[in-house]
Amino acid sequence: MRILAIDVGTGTQDIMIYDTEKELENSIKLVLPSPHLYISQQIREIENDLYFTGEIMGGGKIKKSLLEHMEKGYKVVMEPTCAKTIRDNIEQVKSLGIEIADENKDYKDYTKIKMGDINIKKLSEFLLGYDLDFDFDEIAIAVQDHGYNENMGDRDFRFEKIREKVSHPISPLEFGFKEEMPDYFTRMQAVRRQIKDEGIEKLPLVMDTKFASIAGMCYDEVASKLNSFIVIDIGNGHTTAASIENGKIQGVFEHHTSSLTGESLERYIKRLASGEITHEEVHEDFGHGAHVLNPISEIEKVIVSGPKRELIEKTNLDWHHAAPGGDVMMTGTIGLIKTIQG
């Protein structure tokens, strides 16, 4: 079985093509700029009015680039769907000075930019250029999705859904959506629409990037020998940690990486393991929150990944940089692959 796994992060999109008939270490791997980065670069380089089509995607630096573009005197028009990349509430998008496309108007002199987290056509052209097959039995994609509820802020809504999922000890693999998926995960739904628009009928597995990483870390060579441990993804924007015992998540907290110090990170990890951490203490520290079902027996080791993982070195914890399959960049893709395999 051939699996295409794509993990779309803030800094990079990490891609692995895994063939079950070969060793994991012999998989084809790519680490490319995250889509929002090259779209932001396009915006900066174009000296013209802009018209955006396409899908909801990770916004990253796009909003800042658009505001700077409008400050130069250029117009920005977005179709309603892709405009939700900026804010789910279209009225808030309009308040920034962005115009929502009117089907009765002609925008022929505008430079067109297509938005989306996934570009299968571009990836296929790249691989075919190396005479590599682009046929897959399964496709799995990870993006970070806060979800959308018009009556709740995205920080609170995201963690509410995490709490609902961890209503009992579960395997990290259970965070993957193989078939039905709630409509409120708008970015994940957009990924599935993109895949279908590319002419691929096979429904892709989709998963949140943080839990794809958590799943992948559990298959690290060191982690696989442990029973009671912490896994933590220290990303550019968010840090997500889970306590693991008997192969199941026993508790989780999520915070903003920029708000953490070595001291506070160590405190949160220890309190997660002991079961003493509270949602209020993390939320009031401007994090997303915390939820614990059970304390774990001990912290045999802290397994860490993510582009800001060096923060763990400012703690006194016993840590290990995750490298499942021998690659620190592939925790998310391996998490996706293991979730596909079930």
Side-chain angles (χ1 to χ4, degrees):
M1 179 169 66
R2 281 169 56 84
I3 301 172
L4 170 63
I6 305 174
D7 179 18
V8 182
T10 302
T12 63
Q13 55 176 320
D14 309 321
I15 301 167
M16 177 180 282
I17 298 171
Y18 174 56
D19 189 331
T20 55
E21 295 184 2
K22 299 178 181 179
E23 298 82 4
L24 182 64
E25 286 78 3
N26 280 319
S27 299
I28 295 166
K29 295 180 283 189
L30 300 169
V31 178
L32 303 172
S34 189
H36 79 92
L37 293 177
Y38 57 73
I39 288 179
S40 294
Q41 183 172 319
Q42 278 184 284
I43 294 168
R44 291 193 299 271
E45 292 176 350
I46 295 170
E47 300 294 332
N48 194 24
D49 298 329
L50 298 176
Y51 182 94
F52 290 86
T53 185
E55 275 292 353
I56 302 167
M57 65 177 293
K61 297 184 177 183
I62 292 175
K63 176 183 172 182
K64 181 175 183 291
S65 297
L66 289 178
L67 293 175
E68 291 174 349
H69 196 71
M70 290 187 289
E71 285 176 4
K72 296 177 184 177
Y74 297 113
K75 296 179 181 178
V76 172
V77 177
M78 305 186 82
E79 292 183 356
T81 299
C82 64
K84 292 181 180 180
T85 295
I86 309 304
R87 295 295 298 176
D88 284 293
N89 186 317
I90 294 297
E91 293 305 314
Q92 292 179 8
V93 179
K94 291 179 181 178
S95 72
L96 297 173
I98 296 170
E99 182 182 339
I100 302 303
D102 183 340
E103 60 183 19
N104 296 313
K105 289 186 178 180
D106 184 0
Y107 301 101
K108 64 183 178 70
D109 294 328
Y110 286 59
T111 300
K112 307 293 194 300
I113 295 178
K114 187 173 183 179
M115 301 180 75
D117 279 313
I118 303 298
N119 193 326
I120 293 293
K121 182 180 179 182
K122 182 180 288 188
L123 179 60
S124 66
E125 290 172 349
F126 179 83
L127 292 174
L128 291 170
Y130 284 87
D131 294 324
L132 297 171
D133 291 335
F134 199 76
D135 293 322
F136 305 102
D137 299 293
E138 299 284 354
I139 297 176
I141 300 167
V143 295
Q144 189 174 62
D145 196 333
H146 283 69
Y148 174 62
N149 182 317
E150 62 180 7
N151 299 314
M152 188 180 296
D154 60 5
R155 178 171 65 120
D156 293 332
F157 189 64
R158 173 176 170 80
F159 203 80
E160 179 179 281
K161 294 306 168 186
I162 292 173
R163 186 189 297 110
E164 287 178 6
K165 191 75 174 177
V166 190
S167 60
H168 60 280
I170 63 169
S171 163
L173 303 181
E174 293 184 48
F175 273 86
F177 293 100
K178 293 184 177 181
E179 295 181 0
E180 291 187 14
M181 180 174 58
D183 290 339
Y184 50 71
F185 285 130
T186 56
R187 189 176 174 192
M188 290 185 190
Q189 291 286 4
V191 164
R192 281 194 167 172
R193 288 195 297 269
Q194 275 192 272
I195 292 294
K196 188 174 182 180
D197 289 345
E198 295 269 11
I200 299 171
E201 292 301 320
K202 182 73 176 179
L203 194 67
L205 177 139
V206 290
M207 196 170 186
D208 188 86
T209 52
K210 290 301 183 183
F211 289 94
S213 178
I214 284 170
M217 280 188 276
C218 291
Y219 290 90
D220 171 82
E221 185 176 355
V222 171
S224 64
K225 298 173 183 176
L226 306 174
N227 183 60
S228 181
F229 58 101
I230 300 289
V231 286
I232 182 165
D233 181 293
I234 307 176
N236 289 307
H238 297 87
T239 290
T240 307
S243 52
I244 308 286
E245 191 159 273
N246 300 322
K248 306 283 188 179
I249 295 176
Q250 306 294 332
V252 62
F253 81 78
E254 188 166 77
H255 211 308
H256 294 106
T257 304
S258 60
S259 298
L260 291 168
T261 63
E263 181 182 355
S264 64
L265 181 62
E266 181 173 343
R267 182 179 70 253
Y268 283 134
I269 288 174
K270 287 180 175 178
R271 287 175 61 78
L272 175 66
S274 68
E276 296 173 285
I277 195 170
T278 66
H279 175 75
E280 289 72 25
E281 70 180 286
V282 177
H283 193 268
E284 289 173 10
D285 192 33
F286 304 105
H288 284 195
H291 174 63
V292 178
L293 296 168
N294 304 299
I296 57 175
S297 303
E298 61 177 314
I299 304 177
E300 295 178 50
K301 199 173 285 290
V302 176
I303 307 298
V304 60
S305 71
K308 301 292 186 181
R309 62 186 178 276
E310 288 185 0
L311 180 61
I312 201 71
E313 298 176 15
K314 296 180 180 179
T315 73
N316 296 306
L317 297 163
D318 181 11
W319 49 266
H320 165 73
H321 289 308
D327 194 329
V328 297
M329 294 298 293
M330 292 293 147
T331 55
T333 57
I334 289 176
L336 288 167
I337 290 164
K338 295 298 183 181
T339 302
I340 281 279
Q341 294 177 316

